[in-house]
C-alpha cells in the first residue's frame, strides 16, 4: 500500500468521477433552465406593454380609495 502509483491512480479515478458528476449536474441544470424558459414563453403575456385597466375597474378603484379615506377619517376622529 505504499506504492505511489496506487495513490495517483485512486486520485485520478476520484477526479474523473467528480468531473463526470459535475458535468451531469451542469447538464441537468441547463436543461431545467431551458424548460423553465419555455414555460415562461408558453404561458407568459405575449404583449410586452401592460394594458390599461378598463373603465369599470378604474371606477371600482376610485370607490375603494374613497372608502379608505372615509375609514381613515373615522379612525382619526374627524366628522364627515
Amino acid at each position: 500500500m505504499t506504492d505511489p502509483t496506487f495513490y495517483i491512480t485512486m486520485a485520478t479515478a476520484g477526479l474523473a468521477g467528480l468531473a463526470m458528476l459535475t458535468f451531469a449536474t451542469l447538464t441537468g441544470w441547463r436543461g431545467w433552465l431551458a424548460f423553465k424558459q419555455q414555460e415562461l414563453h408558453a404561458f407568459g403575456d405575449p404583449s410586452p406593454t401592460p394594458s390599461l385597466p378598463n373603465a369599470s375597474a378604474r371606477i371600482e378603484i376610485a370607490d375603494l380609495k374613497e372608502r379608505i379615506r372615509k375609514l381613515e377619517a373615522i379612525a382619526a376622529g374627524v366628522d364627515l
Side-chain angles (χ1 to χ4, degrees), residues 15-73:
L15 188 59
L18 183 63
M20 286 188 281
L21 182 65
T22 303
F23 180 73
T25 304
L26 181 61
T27 304
W29 174 252
R30 287 180 179 163
W32 183 80
L33 286 177
F35 173 71
K36 287 297 179 181
Q37 188 175 21
Q38 285 178 352
E39 242 182 21
L40 286 174
H41 287 300
F43 298 113
D45 187 17
S47 63
T49 57
S51 61
L52 294 175
N54 58 14
S56 63
R58 282 186 263 162
I59 291 171
E60 187 176 342
I61 290 172
D63 184 43
L64 290 173
K65 286 182 180 179
E66 183 62 31
R67 288 182 187 179
I68 290 173
R69 279 190 218 111
K70 287 180 182 179
L71 289 173
E72 287 176 345

